[in-house]
Amino acid sequence: MSSVRGEFSSRIGFIMAAAGSAVGLGNIWGFPTQTASNGGAAFVLAYLVLAFCLAYPALMAELIVGRHGQANAVKSLQKISKTKAQKAGAFAVGFGGIICAGLILSFYSIVAGWMMTATLEPVAQVASQDTVANWLSTQSLSRDLVFTAAFILLTVAIISRGIENGIEKWSKRLMPALLTILFALIVYVFMQEGAMKGLKAYLVPDFSLILEPKLLISALGQAFFSLSLGTSVMIIYGSYISKKENIVALGTYVTLIDVFIAFVAGLLIIPAMYVAQELGVQIFSETGQLLSEDTLVFTVLPALFDSMGDIGLFIGFAFFALMTIAALTSSISLLEAPVSYVVEQFGLTRMQATFGMGAIITLVSFTILFNFSSLFGFVIALTTQYGQPLLGLMCCLFVGWLWNRTSLLKEIEQGSPEIGATFFWKIWPWYIKFVCPIAISLVFLSKIIDW
Ligand code: PFF
């Protein structure tokens, strides 16, 4: 069924790939820790509302631009632009998204490399390789360089195989594995002392916190990161969807899966924190603040696993394998953004483009590692707090203001002929024109003025 440029061969293939992009460290690490540090259930509620009411319409905009353009992000955005200035703007937004994806991949690979070391450490322990286990668990430049490169190589290996045999095939394998490990861990943690206290903190909201600007801003930022918006990734994945598919239904499934997995990850992490506390591990500072996010994943949870005896080695392995898999299904989408551009724009083969881009991203990652204290936080802030909201906003403006309403409806109607009569069509164009741009601008401004 694939065309020359590549296409997802089935609905399930697209859903697994796009949900794989969306479900990542942002869901399993970011969402639960943000929940814990932003008032528990109040954050969950705000996140659910914002994810469905703002991030989902923005995701639809990106998918629709891609499917209409049937090309990389730059070309797809240019296809809906009329004047020269609009086309230049389309280039800036599309290319900006590709750069943003490349930069996210370079810090994401460093973090994923840490997840790989934490996965392998229990294996080294079981094999009585104490020196190796020690090297894996102690932060060092050599260790980080090796595992960052290894993770990028894994990503390159999948992307070089193309859409159907690479992205789709591996997403279909990895996503069920991720779900299985996640649920198995939840069952185990729920059986431990302290889990119910955590569950209560997670599910019973303190409504007085819900309209806190900081909470809303964090929740919206988290929803945008989680749905992989503003990076051109969803434009490209949209371009691999067949015109016969109901694109609105597909986007809805992806959003539901993404939000569901973030919610379920919270069911694991928050109770696990309270189980750790029950076992004497400190999770909150003296002032009642949650210990910092990286401390949570790399100190609190391993301390919990250690306290479980031998089974803890296995649980630790499963947990970090879960993190690595989640990171991999996201990183393949991040690498596809620059690769698809280079293939279509410069006529390189997929193999050449993938290895070339992989090499550039490795260089950027290494530069970050060599200048860790000045660059790591900077690149994260630049891409997730500025790049993604700004580019996501521009994309909504393109669809809402530049795209003619009739031809927009025509595009969505392919694969879903009844769309014109639905609630989605009545409300979505209005959302994309006004509500999303204003809401995203607010998030963006709040970051600049540090609300
Ligand atoms: N959505 C991924 C996560 O939640 O971890 C991260 C991500 C992937 C962000 C792809 C942006 C992107 F384009």
Side-chain angles (χ1 to χ4, degrees), residues 118-354:
T119 312
L120 293 176
E121 198 232 348
V123 179
Q125 273 193 42
V126 169
S128 306
Q129 298 294 321
D130 292 347
T131 331
V132 179
N134 205 22
W135 179 68
L136 287 169
S137 62
T138 317
Q139 204 275 322
S140 70
L141 186 60
S142 65
R143 183 200 71 169
D144 290 351
L145 290 172
V146 169
F147 280 92
T148 301
F151 183 80
I152 295 177
L153 205 62
L154 266 182
T155 309
V156 163
I158 296 177
I159 285 296
S160 65
R161 290 163 179 269
I163 316 307
E164 207 178 316
N165 288 323
I167 301 177
E168 184 172 338
K169 191 163 158 188
W170 279 93
S171 302
K172 278 195 333 214
R173 286 177 182 169
L174 294 173
M175 289 300 283
L178 182 142
L179 273 177
T180 312
I181 301 176
L182 190 56
F183 280 110
L185 285 170
I186 290 177
V187 170
Y188 183 81
V189 165
F190 271 27
M191 291 185 314
Q192 310 304 308
E193 199 77 31
M196 290 308 130
K197 206 167 148 195
L199 199 59
K200 204 168 147 215
Y202 185 49
L203 296 179
V204 183
D206 174 353
F207 284 106
S208 65
L209 292 172
I210 207 137
L211 290 177
E212 287 265 322
K214 260 221 155 79
L215 182 145
L216 292 175
I217 287 155
S218 306
L220 189 59
Q222 175 63 30
F224 265 67
F225 183 72
S226 195
L227 277 176
S228 309
L229 300 176
T231 54
S232 80
V233 160
M234 288 300 178
I235 300 186
I236 285 141
Y237 273 20
S239 77
Y240 300 142
I241 302 178
S242 149
K243 294 269 186 191
K244 291 187 221 90
E245 292 292 351
N246 179 336
I247 197 167
V248 180
L250 291 183
T252 311
Y253 289 138
V254 171
T255 310
L256 285 172
I257 295 174
D258 184 48
V259 171
F260 172 73
I261 297 208
F263 182 76
V264 172
L267 288 177
L268 169 67
I269 306 281
I270 314 259
M273 281 165 52
Y274 283 80
V275 172
Q277 193 181 37
E278 203 70 27
L279 290 165
V281 180
Q282 192 189 0
I283 57 168
F284 292 107
S285 68
E286 267 92 69
T287 55
Q289 289 292 91
L290 182 76
L291 293 178
S292 73
E293 293 175 11
D294 50 341
T295 317
L296 183 77
V297 170
F298 292 109
T299 315
V300 172
L301 293 177
L304 169 68
F305 304 143
D306 279 351
S307 67
M308 294 172 176
D310 282 349
I311 188 155
L313 282 178
F314 181 72
I315 305 268
F317 167 80
F319 175 77
F320 286 108
L322 166 80
M323 290 289 215
T324 308
I325 292 171
L328 193 57
T329 54
S330 296
S331 67
I332 55 183
S333 71
L334 286 161
L335 185 59
E336 181 62 15
V339 165
S340 62
Y341 178 72
V342 171
V343 168
E344 288 173 14
Q345 212 66 24
F346 302 110
L348 296 187
T349 64
R350 174 162 273 272
M351 199 58 111
Q352 289 166 333
T354 312

